[in-house]
Amino acid sequence: MVSCLLFLDLKKAFDSVNHSILLKKLSYYGIRGTALNLLASYLSNRYQTTCVDGFSSILNLITWGVPQGSVLGPLLFLVFINDLPNVSNLLSTWLFADDSAFCHAANSMTILETEMNCEIAKVQNWLLANRLSVHYIKKSQFMLIDWKSTHSEINSIDDFTLEMGGHPLPLTKTTSYKYLGIYIDNKLSWDIHINNIIKKLSQVAGVIFKNRECLSKKSLMLVYNSLVNSRLRYGLCTWGTASKGQLKGLNQIHDKIIRFMTFSKPCANCQPLYKSLEILPLESLLQLEQAKFMFKSYQKSLPVVFSTYVSKPNHNYSTSYARSSNFSMVHSGSSTKVQKSIRYLCPKIWASTPFETKQSTSVKMFSVTLKKDLVENMFPD
């Protein structure tokens, strides 16, 4: 089985929305009468001008696009592209603003290439019908995910091509792609993403080392939360399950930053330093993020795409397991990849979360309570 991921980046997406098509789609979705007229008025009779050094251009009427920097602008754009996944019954589609991703799997390279080119033609027809275009060069690329390729299949991988809209050049093939801030590689190993975080945190470590003498503990914590913690937490549930060998370099640079913040020696034991700053090491931070994922699932505040990941036990009788807000493991298996997945690990973490913590009324309260518990119990003797 081999999979193909296609990443499309829409060109000037928010500025390319056709008002007439948008209003027709709004009407189709049930927004009619006064509400539709109000939105039509919101989009019409808008003008723009450019000012440079006190000189202004003439006013030009805006006949395309949705207002950026507004609340309605992004929402109207999402409505505009909402029917894109309907163009293909084969492709799995992910939409996030103007970044689109399509995925399909087949038993052979030949079948995959044929089916992908056929489905891409449908996507291209949709783009033409909606008067949108993509950044064809560099930003729109495809990637083959096949970590079990045999030697005989290598030539097929090299010859694999995707074309779009009769463009003279095929789409660019890549072995890694940055999608929504996370680097995905064709082996799903997370090496590139982890190395990228290490590179960024190394720069932050230098900044902290040079400026720590003139910063208070509060200021250092502000720098840490802004430049270190935020990068570690982003997408951690996904890439944080990499092997210990892959995460070794990241743990080392994290330890170095903690030593810099506490003015400790390079060889100092980091365990008491983490506790003194009330900062979680990467392993505990992963547990916190996994538990937050489950809490959001319990509160039904996750996106719909995660609705089938976990579920509560469906018993006709009361059990202590069900009463304790636990979830059954929907996805089971013995392979390493399965046991490192969100569906497998998050319910296990949730089962070990204290019952009182699960009764929190908000994500913030849950996070604060669980973090306090993790800080108190990390590095047990």
Side-chain angles (χ1 to χ4, degrees):
M1 182 71 72
V2 60
S3 302
C4 180
L5 266 174
L6 171 64
F7 302 96
L8 293 183
D9 185 76
L10 298 178
K11 186 185 297 181
K12 296 183 179 179
F14 284 77
D15 295 328
S16 301
V17 174
N18 182 279
H19 292 174
S20 176
I21 297 176
L22 174 60
L23 292 173
K24 289 179 181 178
K25 290 188 177 185
L26 288 169
S27 177
Y28 176 80
Y29 290 133
I31 301 176
R32 305 184 182 96
T34 303
L36 185 63
N37 293 334
L38 183 63
L39 289 172
S41 175
Y42 174 75
L43 294 170
S44 62
N45 295 322
R46 286 182 173 271
Y47 293 83
Q48 67 180 9
T49 183
T50 302
C51 300
V52 179
D53 294 333
F55 296 93
S56 301
S57 65
I58 61 173
L59 290 174
N60 286 315
L61 180 66
I62 301 175
T63 57
W64 292 72
V66 292
Q68 298 190 44
S70 63
V71 175
L72 276 179
L75 179 61
L76 291 174
F77 178 77
L78 292 178
V79 171
F80 190 77
I81 65 170
N82 187 60
D83 59 320
L84 175 55
N86 298 335
V87 303
S88 172
N89 294 324
L90 290 181
L91 298 180
S92 299
T93 307
W94 295 274
L95 303 177
F96 190 89
D98 59 342
D99 292 315
S100 306
F102 306 88
C103 182
H104 181 52
N107 292 322
S108 71
M109 290 289 180
T110 303
I111 296 175
L112 183 63
E113 184 176 12
T114 302
E115 291 180 344
M116 281 297 295
N117 276 297
C118 179
E119 299 307 305
I120 289 174
K122 298 177 183 179
V123 174
Q124 175 66 12
N125 290 335
W126 183 93
L127 292 171
L128 291 174
N130 288 272
R131 303 182 185 181
L132 294 174
S133 58
V134 299
H135 288 285
Y136 194 86
I137 306 299
K138 293 184 179 180
K139 289 190 176 182
S140 293
Q141 302 177 346
F142 74 91
M143 179 170 60
L144 295 174
I145 300 177
D146 183 23
W147 54 86
K148 295 182 180 180
S149 295
T150 61
H151 182 73
S152 61
E153 292 176 318
I154 294 177
N155 291 334
S156 299
I157 294 176
D158 293 336
D159 296 336
F160 192 101
T161 57
L162 295 182
E163 297 180 354
M164 190 171 186
H167 197 279
L169 295 175
L171 285 162
T172 304
K173 181 164 53 182
T174 184
T175 56
S176 65
Y177 190 89
K178 185 180 181 181
Y179 184 66
L180 303 182
I182 293 182
Y183 286 91
I184 303 172
D185 63 81
N186 62 339
K187 301 297 182 183
L188 299 181
S189 66
W190 307 118
D191 283 335
I192 296 175
H193 183 72
I194 292 171
N195 290 334
N196 181 65
I197 297 177
I198 292 173
K199 181 180 178 181
K200 290 184 176 180
L201 293 192
S202 297
Q203 297 171 347
V204 176
V207 172
I208 291 177
F209 180 78
K210 293 178 181 179
N211 296 279
R212 59 179 178 168
E213 297 287 350
C214 56
L215 294 176
S216 63
K217 180 180 178 181
K218 182 178 180 180
S219 297
L220 282 171
M221 287 301 300
L222 182 62
V223 172
Y224 174 85
N225 288 323
S226 300
L227 302 179
V228 180
N229 189 49
S230 60
R231 289 191 169 107
L232 291 176
R233 288 175 51 202
Y234 186 74
L236 183 59
C237 284
T238 303
W239 59 265
T241 56
S243 67
K244 291 184 178 180
Q246 290 174 290
L247 296 173
K248 182 179 179 180
L250 187 55
N251 282 314
Q252 288 176 341
I253 190 63
H254 195 201
D255 290 347
K256 181 184 288 187
I257 290 173
I258 298 302
R259 292 189 182 102
F260 285 165
M261 291 175 63
T262 54
F263 298 86
S264 302
K265 295 181 179 180
C267 57
N269 181 9
C270 283
Q271 293 185 6
L273 305 182
Y274 276 106
K275 278 198 171 185
S276 66
L277 295 174
E278 296 185 355
I279 290 176
L280 295 176
L282 189 60
E283 183 178 356
S284 299
L285 191 59
L286 174 60
Q287 294 177 17
L288 176 61
E289 292 301 309
Q290 290 172 334
K292 284 169 61 178
F293 177 90
M294 294 300 298
F295 181 80
K296 291 177 182 178
S297 178
Y298 181 68
Q299 296 289 325
K300 298 181 179 180
S301 59
L302 284 174
V304 178
V305 69
F306 295 110
S307 60
T308 59
Y309 269 46
V310 291
S311 63
K312 294 193 66 174
N314 186 18
H315 300 313
N316 294 324
Y317 49 89
S318 178
T319 63
S320 59
Y321 188 80
R323 288 196 303 270
S324 62
S325 305
N326 282 312
F327 291 81
S328 60
M329 283 177 244
V330 174
H331 201 67
S332 60
S334 58
S335 69
T336 303
K337 289 187 179 297
V338 169
Q339 294 184 358
K340 288 187 175 183
S341 66
I342 291 176
R343 294 181 179 185
Y344 185 88
L345 287 176
C346 289
K348 290 186 67 176
I349 294 297
W350 182 255
S352 63
T353 302
F355 177 77
E356 295 75 14
T357 305
K358 295 178 183 178
Q359 305 309 305
S360 302
T361 56
S362 66
V363 176
K364 183 177 181 180
M365 181 185 296
F366 175 84
S367 180
V368 170
T369 305
L370 183 57
K371 180 182 177 182
K372 182 179 179 181
D373 183 65
L374 289 172
V375 168
E376 291 176 352
N377 294 285
M378 66 180 175
F379 307 125
D381 297 331

